[in-house]
Amino acid sequence: MDAESEGRRRVVIEHVRPEVDGGRFPVKRVLGDTFRVEADVLVDGHDLLAVRLLHWPEGEAGAREIAMAPRGNDVFVADITLDGHGVWYYTVEAWVDAFATFRAGLQKKVDAKQEVRVELLDGGRLIAAAATRAAGDDARRLAELARDLEDELLPEAERLERLLANDTAVLVARNPDRSLAVRAPRELAVIVDPKEARFSAWYELFPRSTGSGKHGTFRDAEARLAYVAELGFDVLYLPPIHPIGVSHRKGPNNTLVASPDDPGSPWAIGAASGGHTAVHPELGTLDDFKHFVRAANEHGIEVAIDVAFQASPDHPWVREHPEWFHTRADGSIQYAENPPKKYQDVFPFAFDGEAWRTLWEALRDVFLFWLEQGVRIFRVDNPHTKPLPFWEWCLREVKRREPRAMFLSEAFTRPKVMYGLAKRGFTQSYTYFTWRSTKPELERYLLEVSSAPVAEVFRPNFWPNTPDILPEELQHGGRPAFVRRAVLASTMSSNWGMYGPAFELMEHAPRPGSEEYLDNEKFQLRQWDLARSDSLRHLIARLNRIRRDNPALQANEGVALHRTDDDMVLAYSKRSGDSVVLCVVLLDGHHPHGAWLDLDLPALGVAPGDTFQVHDLLGDGRWQWSGPRAYVHLDPRVMPAQIFKVRRFERNETGFEYYL
Amino acid sequence: MDAESEGRRRVVIEHVRPEVDGGRFPVKRVLGDTFRVEADVLVDGHDLLAVRLLHWPEGEAGAREIAMAPRGNDVFVADITLDGHGVWYYTVEAWVDAFATFRAGLQKKVDAKQEVRVELLDGGRLIAAAATRAAGDDARRLAELARDLEDELLPEAERLERLLANDTAVLVARNPDRSLAVRAPRELAVIVDPKEARFSAWYELFPRSTGSGKHGTFRDAEARLAYVAELGFDVLYLPPIHPIGVSHRKGPNNTLVASPDDPGSPWAIGAASGGHTAVHPELGTLDDFKHFVRAANEHGIEVAIDVAFQASPDHPWVREHPEWFHTRADGSIQYAENPPKKYQDVFPFAFDGEAWRTLWEALRDVFLFWLEQGVRIFRVDNPHTKPLPFWEWCLREVKRREPRAMFLSEAFTRPKVMYGLAKRGFTQSYTYFTWRSTKPELERYLLEVSSAPVAEVFRPNFWPNTPDILPEELQHGGRPAFVRRAVLASTMSSNWGMYGPAFELMEHAPRPGSEEYLDNEKFQLRQWDLARSDSLRHLIARLNRIRRDNPALQANEGVALHRTDDDMVLAYSKRSGDSVVLCVVLLDGHHPHGAWLDLDLPALGVAPGDTFQVHDLLGDGRWQWSGPRAYVHLDPRVMPAQIFKVRRFERNETGFEYYL
């Protein structure tokens, strides 16, 4: 009750949406999206409201403004197109529309043939007030109208007609009284990412294993680009490309002692030749890397590099900036540990140390350095072991310079931390998909990651394997398991990825008793026979082509589950505009199954009585279906899945030339 | 990144709950409640956290503080008892517990028989730091311990033992390092209302109809108190008791012309003898009213008065404060209208006029005046036609002076407005119950009003009728409908009310084609024969007794629906601690039904294999049930409902004296 007009502001604006945590974090969209904003706008009584959506890209002075339309139940809605990358802000402003309210009441009185002599004068007052707010021609016309309404010499019917005219309504609405307008308490934000943030296919590759018998280089890896492009991937992700530490270097299969020939783990970052902004000499030079990036781009591929914020004991920063590390009571630098386990080849940074500010800036500058080299996609290693406030600051800083930058969070940790990282700016995230195998697990997880509130901030990237994880299902499931996991990952999530060539060559031997690969490339060079006849490369290429041809698979919206009468047969669909895809996946790798589906027809955009065609984009079969019941048969030894494109418009006799 | 330490604060506190709209509005509880607060508290990595709930009643300097316990999935929880009326604030503070983290790691290293020489020194550093934070004896003991840990002459085993001792942990925890503590961004609030806010039974009565043949007075109404108490009601609500306007006074059945003998509508407030702080002379004096209030209190009844913020054309304020009303272009005061309807006997206040501030204060003072007279419960007429910001301010002002004040919102309007009024301070609200008749409607509405987010702010008060509403179900349904509606209202909602004696005497004649009573007491005096043998007074008394005897019916928590195989048989239960009540209601007023129930046993607190007893508190029958399937039979001509008290502990042979 401080401002003189505060008590006169009757309109209440609540629950402007989308929003995350009351506006604490931005929601996420991609370039070109139609962005729908809704708000509850209330006022006492029956007065009509004028409601506006204000929105502006960061840094733009002055808000753009469009009207929000009432949709019933006190909800107002407006759509805008997000036509620029970066952060956009939006909020809602509303006021009682006194003239519109008056006009609607007057019309009812006229319809009921009531006396409206005083109403003509009331209307004149409102129009005279509008005249004082207007300028130029509007001001002149409004003032004239106000005078006429008071002119008793003019016939009442004529004055009434002019008062109720549409022109008058438009004229007054163009000069509204916003003196008692109310604005939503908080400005909300949306991050507009490049389209690849929502739709991408990642391939992870160790360049050092492309050298046919010796340590591979970027030049060798260039020869692999055509293969990766043929498989249909558009992001090629490289493990850390920096000099590898020598102290406490790990040997093959993560053994504690390395021989002089062992290449070491690329995640032990930093050696005499440099740290996070240097290139490992055995891979080539920085120029070689930049050449590799350009070559990839020519194949339609973006290169993503790994950013792992930790140092080997040989990292130059250990000597130059001891204040960026934790020091123990005996003066030594604290190595990583998870008691009783010790990781003496890795020094964590002291993100919360007294020198945090210079450290944070140096780490941000790592991203900025690689942006300069032509890289704008980063896979961030273990972000959940670095403070959440650091990421919020750092990713914002980087995106401010390059709004098309993207960050994939490699956090396999507790759900609130994973979602917390996404809220603080990670563009995409690894997920629990890797461990979701059964029908209820897959169904629940698909719904969780494709619905609000998760979907407003968290973009899943489904990986069937990584160099760190060879899940049990792939260890024991044989070819049907690899095919099934590739189909699930590539259709359930619009972002997916794989670690190859281990995946397409169905590498499945674990270090005994573990979920890790035997003879893991993390610790040694590997040779892969890409031409093997049992390779899944053609299937994977087909999956990526299906994704590119069907917009429904390029987002995670319009997701629906469909009941089946078989607990091993999973059915789900996605819909985006006219594009509808229905996937049926057999989870049993051993036996053929026949199953009845109970389709959610509205989710498929099919009317109850319609006949429709489904076209299996994997096996190329076509079926005519009608109504919600449909039969499928899947044999894991042939193909454990069907990806149906739903074609809703079925030809029948009425389309035949002579029918009419 | 402004403050020097900001980047070092790694802990993140999110989603402190309960909360409403991100903390914009307080949640509601009643005196004596155990209040559970939860929060998501996250930190990178595996460090242990110290988390505190801070809470304080409004006006108290300095927060009380208790530890919040981890409950898994990054959730921390604490319970406090709300032991005073009024507004309480709460928030969460957390920090990394460096010593607890260090100690847990050290214990694991010791268990793995690792060398811990440097750890002893690291521990000494932490303890020395604690010593500098401590005072008195703690400071002395910590400093001594820090010295000993560095003392190489003491055996390592002994130093280790002292470092790991529980005493040491307690000592350090008592002197924590909170320099990098983080506090939740917002202080949340809870309104602690009197217990009657949650559990009350209201009876509405026109005192002027208690006069046996002439206009009744407060003295006459006193004679009715014993009857109301016998029926078991604890709030007696009176329509407006103020002088009634003469201009445009309405006649019987809302006719436009009144004869000189017609008493007029009590909602046309204000006449020569006074306005909102005066008493209608025909009812008696202010002293008579105060006597009536005291007499009611002696019967265990609180008197609630009606507060209708509008004026008859004869209200003194019309002359004294024309600035509090809207003026038309011809200088006349704007009467109420909803075009084309006109209500010329009522002038609305100009809540948003330029004189809003003095008007608002005068209206607040109406509440304060009646508080002085011993009234603290107010039924507020049509609050949805007055601005939401006014209510937020006004109710807060009144509650600041009398935290036990209660306000029942008479808003039958759009849901967001009804809930919006509740958020802004109304203690209870009328509901859509009056129009919810079928099983799906009742089930859906019961869940809506008994679950978050609605239940955090909105306390339903279920009324089967009001002087304004005689629903069709009661017009045509006969005695079974009245019984059914009374059972539903009194058991679904812990607050219920009725307009009597019209209800218990099953008055059901409408003004033709309307939902209004014929010969409505709003416009004329009525005589009621309370002794009629078909009166529902004994049933109603029984319902109120059942409510008082069963805590489950005194709140709207622990609500569950139970499936039945009959669409006309509704089954729902409530549970509060050991008290469990299951209600089965037949919605068909014509035919007897037998039905099978499919009980949600966990909701009843019954283990799957247990036999349990149900005791029908209406018919007094008892049954032994076992498992989820149970049979009921209901005859609408006898009793269309059963209210089962669920007694979980069944006697069997093991309790028999000779069994062992």
Side-chain angles (χ1 to χ4, degrees):
Chain A
M1 287 241 300
D2 294 330
E4 199 43 56
S5 67
E6 189 177 327
R8 305 180 64 192
R9 299 176 191 266
R10 295 158 52 203
V11 180
V12 163
I13 303 174
E14 293 187 341
H15 195 194
V16 182
R17 51 204 184 267
E19 58 82 21
V20 177
D21 294 358
R24 167 70 179 81
F25 300 103
V27 300
K28 293 185 182 139
R29 295 293 187 273
V30 303
L31 189 70
D33 271 356
T34 296
F35 186 56
R36 166 154 296 189
V37 179
E38 298 185 332
D40 299 341
V41 188
L42 316 177
V43 72
D44 53 287
H46 304 282
D47 287 350
L48 297 178
L49 297 176
V51 185
R52 297 285 184 273
L53 172 64
L54 314 187
H55 53 105
W56 62 98
E58 186 170 35
E60 187 171 298
R64 312 173 190 184
E65 191 175 308
I66 62 167
M68 299 184 78
R71 223 187 43 184
N73 195 22
D74 296 311
V75 176
F76 286 75
V77 62
D79 290 333
I80 55 173
T81 300
L82 299 170
D83 53 12
H85 289 111
V87 177
W88 290 60
Y89 295 95
Y90 54 104
T91 191
V92 173
E93 193 171 303
W95 60 92
V96 172
D97 190 335
F99 186 74
T101 304
F102 165 81
R103 183 173 180 256
L106 176 58
Q107 187 62 60
K108 284 181 192 158
K109 290 175 191 174
V110 170
D111 293 346
K113 306 203 188 305
Q114 292 178 359
E115 154 77 47
V116 294
R117 196 185 53 81
V118 184
E119 278 76 0
L120 285 175
L121 303 178
D122 290 339
R125 275 209 307 202
L126 289 168
I127 286 171
T132 67
R133 293 188 300 268
D137 196 45
D138 279 8
R140 192 187 47 70
R141 288 174 59 198
L142 285 161
E144 199 174 284
L145 184 57
R147 267 194 310 277
D148 289 351
L149 288 169
E150 285 188 1
D151 184 350
E152 305 264 343
L153 295 178
L154 285 174
E156 196 175 296
E158 189 182 321
R159 287 188 281 153
L160 186 59
E161 192 179 328
R162 294 193 57 192
L163 181 53
L164 285 172
N166 278 334
D167 274 5
T168 303
V170 170
L171 197 54
V172 177
R174 200 155 60 208
N175 298 284
D177 179 6
R178 296 173 75 151
S179 64
L180 300 180
V182 167
R183 197 176 276 209
R186 191 151 193 168
E187 287 170 4
L188 303 176
V190 53
I191 292 182
V192 182
D193 281 315
K195 285 173 189 284
E196 312 88 83
R198 182 184 290 153
F199 176 53
S200 63
W202 292 52
Y203 189 80
E204 178 172 4
L205 175 78
F206 283 79
R208 69 188 185 184
S209 286
T210 60
S212 50
K214 55 175 181 35
H215 195 290
T217 65
F218 291 124
R219 291 281 168 183
D220 297 322
E222 280 187 26
R224 187 67 62 83
L225 289 168
Y227 171 86
V228 174
E230 200 183 288
L231 263 62
F233 292 100
D234 43 36
V235 179
L236 175 57
Y237 148 48
L238 310 181
I241 58 174
H242 316 301
I244 296 173
V246 176
S247 306
H248 297 283
R249 177 178 282 193
K250 297 283 173 66
N253 288 302
N254 204 16
T255 47
L256 289 179
V257 183
S259 79
D261 294 339
D262 289 327
S265 162
W267 283 271
I269 294 171
S273 55
H276 284 81
T277 53
V279 166
H280 189 44
E282 295 192 66
L283 289 171
T285 65
L286 183 59
D287 279 336
D288 291 340
F289 174 71
K290 288 158 76 172
H291 192 274
F292 175 77
V293 169
R294 283 192 302 272
N297 293 348
E298 281 160 21
H299 281 92
I301 293 171
E302 290 273 343
V303 172
I305 65 168
D306 191 300
V307 173
F309 281 150
Q310 58 197 21
S312 97
D314 311 315
H315 196 294
W317 284 350
V318 174
R319 201 180 59 251
E320 297 163 8
H321 293 287
E323 74 278 14
W324 290 350
F325 301 87
H326 292 290
T327 311
R328 304 187 65 192
D330 66 348
S332 66
I333 288 183
Q334 177 69 61
Y335 47 81
E337 56 177 10
N338 185 10
K341 285 192 229 163
K342 303 178 179 197
Y343 307 95
Q344 285 160 302
D345 56 333
V346 172
F347 289 173
F349 292 117
F351 284 90
D352 60 350
E354 292 189 4
W356 63 277
R357 197 184 292 264
T358 53
L359 170 66
W360 287 24
E361 285 166 355
L363 297 177
R364 172 200 60 195
D365 291 346
V366 170
F367 285 112
L368 299 185
F369 174 84
W370 290 107
L371 281 176
E372 292 286 316
Q373 315 313 316
V375 176
R376 63 173 179 85
I377 308 185
F378 304 93
R379 179 271 199 191
V380 178
D381 190 74
N382 277 336
H384 57 292
T385 61
K386 288 91 188 170
L388 292 157
F390 165 73
W391 291 120
E392 185 165 16
W393 172 82
C394 181
L395 303 187
R396 190 89 172 76
E397 286 272 301
V398 178
K399 297 268 287 185
R400 223 191 289 274
R401 282 155 177 93
E402 175 46 89
R404 295 179 314 131
M406 291 177 30
F407 308 90
L408 169 63
S409 159
E410 189 244 11
F412 292 108
T413 184
R414 309 180 309 280
K416 291 186 204 295
V417 175
M418 290 181 64
Y419 296 146
L421 290 163
K423 289 178 190 172
R424 286 167 181 81
F426 280 91
T427 318
Q428 300 182 356
S429 176
Y430 285 75
T431 70
Y432 304 140
F433 166 74
T434 314
W435 297 276
R436 295 290 177 272
S437 299
T438 66
K439 183 170 165 179
E441 284 170 353
L442 287 163
E443 288 186 337
R444 208 159 40 223
Y445 199 57
L446 174 61
L447 289 186
E448 176 175 331
V449 298
S450 62
S451 321
V454 170
E456 290 293 0
V457 288
F458 180 88
R459 293 200 191 93
N461 194 327
F462 277 13
W463 289 61
N465 73 330
T466 77
D468 292 313
I469 314 167
L470 172 64
E472 293 208 13
E473 199 174 351
L474 297 183
Q475 294 178 24
H476 308 299
R479 184 183 184 90
F482 279 87
V483 174
R484 177 171 77 235
R485 298 301 289 178
V487 170
L488 289 169
S490 62
T491 58
M492 292 183 115
S493 171
S494 52
N495 294 303
W496 81 303
M498 61 170 55
Y499 153 53
F503 188 86
E504 66 264 29
L505 296 180
M506 295 178 287
E507 177 85 356
H508 61 275
R511 217 156 25 90
S514 82
E515 264 196 337
E516 299 205 17
Y517 281 94
L518 186 68
D519 301 334
N520 196 321
E521 281 182 286
K522 278 161 64 180
F523 306 107
Q524 66 192 79
L525 309 183
R526 290 287 300 270
Q527 300 296 322
W528 302 101
D529 177 6
L530 303 180
R532 250 170 52 195
S533 64
D534 63 342
S535 168
L536 297 174
R537 57 193 282 194
H538 298 298
L539 172 81
I540 290 162
R542 180 149 209 153
L543 288 172
N544 279 326
R545 202 159 51 240
I546 291 171
R547 287 163 46 89
R548 268 204 296 271
D549 292 344
N550 290 274
L553 298 177
Q554 296 168 16
N556 297 328
E557 45 189 50
V559 168
L561 301 177
H562 302 264
R563 225 184 54 76
T564 80
D565 64 356
D566 185 324
D567 289 350
M568 301 294 266
V569 177
L570 172 67
Y572 52 93
S573 64
K574 285 182 163 182
R575 184 180 176 189
S576 177
D578 280 340
S579 170
V580 183
V581 170
L582 169 69
C583 301
V584 183
V585 183
L586 174 60
L587 304 178
D588 178 349
H590 300 281
H591 313 290
H593 286 231
W596 282 97
L597 310 181
D598 206 351
L599 296 169
D600 176 350
L601 291 180
L604 300 178
V606 172
D610 282 4
T611 296
F612 56 104
Q613 193 195 78
V614 295
H615 174 197
D616 175 14
L617 304 173
L618 282 176
D620 209 29
R622 291 174 191 241
W623 284 261
Q624 316 266 59
W625 286 352
S626 183
R629 298 277 289 170
Y631 185 75
V632 292
H633 188 274
L634 294 162
D635 185 337
R637 287 157 303 189
V638 181
M639 181 55 74
Q642 290 177 308
I643 302 178
F644 294 115
K645 174 167 180 165
V646 178
R647 301 173 184 276
R648 272 165 290 164
F649 305 107
E650 181 63 16
R651 286 203 184 80
N652 66 14
E653 68 279 11
T654 62
F656 190 65
E657 201 178 346
Y658 299 117
Y659 180 77
L660 286 178
Chain B
M1 286 241 299
D2 293 329
E4 198 43 56
S5 67
E6 190 178 327
R8 306 181 64 192
R9 300 174 191 266
R10 295 157 51 204
V11 181
V12 164
I13 303 174
E14 293 187 340
H15 195 194
V16 180
R17 52 202 182 267
E19 57 82 20
V20 177
D21 293 359
R24 167 68 179 81
F25 301 104
V27 300
K28 294 186 181 137
R29 295 294 187 273
V30 303
L31 189 70
D33 271 356
T34 297
F35 186 56
R36 167 154 296 189
V37 179
E38 297 185 333
D40 299 340
V41 188
L42 317 177
V43 73
D44 53 287
H46 304 281
D47 286 350
L48 298 178
L49 297 175
V51 185
R52 298 284 183 274
L53 173 62
L54 315 187
H55 53 106
W56 61 99
E58 187 170 34
E60 187 171 296
R64 312 174 191 183
E65 190 174 309
I66 63 167
M68 298 185 78
R71 222 187 44 184
N73 195 22
D74 296 312
V75 176
F76 287 74
V77 62
D79 290 334
I80 55 173
T81 300
L82 299 171
D83 54 12
H85 289 112
V87 178
W88 290 60
Y89 294 96
Y90 55 103
T91 191
V92 172
E93 193 170 302
W95 60 92
V96 172
D97 191 334
F99 186 74
T101 304
F102 165 81
R103 184 173 180 255
L106 177 57
Q107 186 63 60
K108 284 180 191 158
K109 291 174 190 174
V110 169
D111 293 346
K113 303 200 190 309
Q114 291 178 359
E115 155 76 46
V116 294
R117 195 185 55 81
V118 184
E119 278 77 359
L120 285 176
L121 303 178
D122 289 340
R125 275 210 307 200
L126 289 169
I127 286 172
T132 67
R133 294 188 299 268
D137 195 44
D138 278 8
R140 193 188 47 70
R141 288 173 60 197
L142 285 161
E144 199 174 284
L145 183 57
R147 268 194 309 278
D148 289 351
L149 288 170
E150 286 188 359
D151 184 351
E152 306 264 343
L153 295 177
L154 285 173
E156 196 175 296
E158 189 182 321
R159 287 188 282 153
L160 186 60
E161 191 179 326
R162 295 193 55 191
L163 182 53
L164 285 172
N166 278 333
D167 274 5
T168 302
V170 170
L171 196 55
V172 178
R174 200 155 60 210
N175 298 283
D177 179 6
R178 296 173 74 151
S179 63
L180 300 179
V182 167
R183 196 176 277 208
R186 190 151 194 170
E187 287 171 3
L188 304 175
V190 53
I191 291 182
V192 182
D193 282 315
K195 284 173 190 285
E196 312 89 83
R198 180 183 292 154
F199 176 53
S200 63
W202 292 52
Y203 190 80
E204 177 172 3
L205 175 78
F206 282 79
R208 69 187 185 185
S209 286
T210 60
S212 48
K214 55 175 181 38
H215 194 290
T217 65
F218 289 125
R219 291 281 168 184
D220 297 323
E222 281 188 26
R224 187 67 63 83
L225 290 168
Y227 171 86
V228 174
E230 198 182 289
L231 263 62
F233 291 100
D234 42 36
V235 179
L236 175 57
Y237 148 46
L238 310 182
I241 58 175
H242 315 302
I244 296 174
V246 176
S247 307
H248 297 283
R249 177 178 281 192
K250 298 283 174 68
N253 288 303
N254 204 16
T255 47
L256 289 179
V257 183
S259 79
D261 293 340
D262 288 328
S265 162
W267 281 273
I269 294 172
S273 55
H276 284 80
T277 54
V279 165
H280 190 42
E282 295 193 64
L283 288 170
T285 65
L286 182 59
D287 280 337
D288 290 341
F289 174 71
K290 287 158 75 171
H291 191 275
F292 175 77
V293 169
R294 282 193 302 274
N297 293 348
E298 281 162 20
H299 281 91
I301 292 170
E302 291 273 343
V303 171
I305 65 168
D306 191 299
V307 173
F309 281 150
Q310 58 197 20
S312 97
D314 311 316
H315 196 295
W317 285 351
V318 174
R319 202 180 59 251
E320 297 163 8
H321 292 287
E323 73 277 16
W324 290 351
F325 300 89
H326 292 290
T327 310
R328 304 188 65 193
D330 66 349
S332 66
I333 288 183
Q334 175 70 61
Y335 48 81
E337 57 177 11
N338 185 9
K341 285 191 231 163
K342 303 178 179 198
Y343 306 96
Q344 284 159 303
D345 56 334
V346 172
F347 288 174
F349 292 118
F351 284 90
D352 61 350
E354 291 188 6
W356 63 276
R357 195 185 293 266
T358 53
L359 170 67
W360 286 24
E361 285 165 357
L363 297 177
R364 172 200 61 197
D365 291 345
V366 169
F367 285 111
L368 300 183
F369 174 84
W370 291 106
L371 281 175
E372 291 286 317
Q373 317 311 318
V375 176
R376 64 171 179 85
I377 307 185
F378 305 93
R379 179 271 198 192
V380 177
D381 189 74
N382 276 337
H384 57 292
T385 62
K386 289 91 189 171
L388 293 156
F390 165 72
W391 291 120
E392 185 166 16
W393 171 82
C394 180
L395 304 186
R396 190 89 172 77
E397 285 271 301
V398 178
K399 298 268 289 184
R400 223 192 289 274
R401 282 154 178 93
E402 175 47 88
R404 296 179 314 131
M406 290 176 32
F407 308 90
L408 169 63
S409 157
E410 189 243 11
F412 292 107
T413 183
R414 309 180 310 279
K416 291 185 204 295
V417 175
M418 290 181 64
Y419 296 146
L421 290 163
K423 289 178 189 174
R424 286 166 181 81
F426 280 91
T427 319
Q428 300 182 358
S429 175
Y430 285 75
T431 70
Y432 304 140
F433 166 74
T434 313
W435 296 277
R436 295 292 178 270
S437 299
T438 65
K439 183 170 166 180
E441 284 170 353
L442 287 163
E443 288 187 337
R444 207 159 41 222
Y445 198 57
L446 174 60
L447 289 187
E448 176 175 330
V449 297
S450 63
S451 320
V454 170
E456 290 293 0
V457 288
F458 180 87
R459 294 199 190 93
N461 193 327
F462 277 12
W463 289 60
N465 72 331
T466 77
D468 291 313
I469 314 167
L470 172 64
E472 292 208 12
E473 199 175 350
L474 296 183
Q475 294 178 24
H476 308 299
R479 184 184 184 91
F482 279 87
V483 174
R484 178 171 74 234
R485 298 300 290 176
V487 170
L488 289 170
S490 63
T491 58
M492 292 183 115
S493 172
S494 53
N495 295 303
W496 80 305
M498 61 171 54
Y499 153 53
F503 188 86
E504 66 264 30
L505 296 180
M506 296 178 288
E507 178 84 356
H508 61 276
R511 212 152 33 85
S514 82
E515 264 196 339
E516 298 205 20
Y517 281 94
L518 186 69
D519 300 334
N520 196 321
E521 281 182 286
K522 279 162 64 179
F523 306 106
Q524 65 192 82
L525 309 184
R526 289 289 300 270
Q527 300 297 321
W528 302 101
D529 177 6
L530 303 180
R532 250 171 51 195
S533 64
D534 64 342
S535 167
L536 296 175
R537 58 193 282 195
H538 298 299
L539 171 81
I540 290 161
R542 181 150 209 154
L543 288 173
N544 279 326
R545 202 158 51 241
I546 291 171
R547 287 163 46 90
R548 268 204 295 272
D549 292 344
N550 290 275
L553 298 176
Q554 296 167 15
N556 296 329
E557 45 190 51
V559 168
L561 301 176
H562 302 264
R563 224 184 56 77
T564 81
D565 63 356
D566 185 326
D567 289 349
M568 301 293 267
V569 177
L570 172 67
Y572 52 94
S573 63
K574 284 181 162 184
R575 185 179 175 188
S576 177
D578 281 342
S579 170
V580 184
V581 169
L582 169 70
C583 300
V584 183
V585 183
L586 175 59
L587 303 178
D588 178 351
H590 300 281
H591 312 290
H593 286 231
W596 282 97
L597 310 181
D598 206 351
L599 297 168
D600 176 350
L601 291 179
L604 301 178
V606 172
D610 282 5
T611 295
F612 55 104
Q613 194 193 78
V614 296
H615 175 194
D616 175 15
L617 303 173
L618 282 176
D620 210 28
R622 292 176 192 240
W623 284 262
Q624 318 265 59
W625 286 352
S626 183
R629 297 278 290 171
Y631 185 76
V632 293
H633 188 274
L634 294 162
D635 185 338
R637 287 157 303 189
V638 181
M639 180 56 73
Q642 291 177 308
I643 301 178
F644 294 114
K645 175 169 180 164
V646 178
R647 301 173 184 276
R648 271 164 290 164
F649 305 107
E650 180 63 17
R651 286 202 184 80
N652 66 13
E653 68 280 9
T654 62
F656 191 64
E657 201 179 345
Y658 299 117
Y659 180 77
L660 285 180

